[in-house]
Amino acid sequence: MDEKFAATRANADLIQAEDLFVPALDGHKLAVTRYPGMNSGGPVVLINSGTAIPRRFYAYFAQYLSARQASHVITYDYRGIGGSWPGNDRKFSYQMSDWARYD
């Protein structure tokens, strides 16, 4: 393992992710995880999930980016997926086009 990789791995383990909710354009609450970066002057990276893939799938990649490349990394769940599922609300319905239109 080279030194650069080992240092990045160590920094990634120090990243304290923050889970929160943010409103979509129509007000639906979306579950978001923010990874504060080690490089305060770097870019902010938004990771858009693949179709119906929960944000936690991208956690290791987000940690790596925040430790090595970016000032902040944001992952989120589209409505109806992972933490953005409203629970037992039987009236809740959505279409995939809502992901593009609102989320």
Side-chain angles (χ1 to χ4, degrees):
M1 178 180 320
D2 71 17
E3 291 177 24
K4 195 180 245 185
F5 179 79
T8 299
R9 176 79 180 204
N11 284 344
D13 292 339
L14 297 175
I15 300 298
Q16 296 294 316
E18 176 186 14
D19 291 325
L20 52 131
F21 289 93
V22 297
L25 291 176
D26 64 349
H28 180 80
K29 291 181 181 177
L30 299 177
V32 171
T33 302
R34 183 179 73 87
Y35 299 85
M38 304 298 279
N39 177 5
S40 62
V44 175
V45 175
L46 174 66
I47 298 176
N48 294 304
S49 298
T51 304
I53 298 173
R55 72 189 191 282
R56 70 179 177 271
F57 179 81
Y58 300 96
Y60 289 117
F61 180 54
Q63 287 173 334
Y64 170 80
L65 287 176
S66 66
R68 180 90 176 118
Q69 303 291 329
S71 59
H72 295 288
V73 178
I74 307 291
T75 60
Y76 67 98
D77 287 330
Y78 289 102
R79 68 186 62 224
I81 305 301
S84 296
W85 178 255
N88 292 332
D89 185 354
R90 292 180 182 239
K91 296 178 185 177
F92 178 72
S93 66
Y94 67 95
Q95 298 176 359
M96 284 182 71
S97 61
D98 293 338
W99 293 348
R101 185 177 301 126
Y102 303 117
D103 298 357

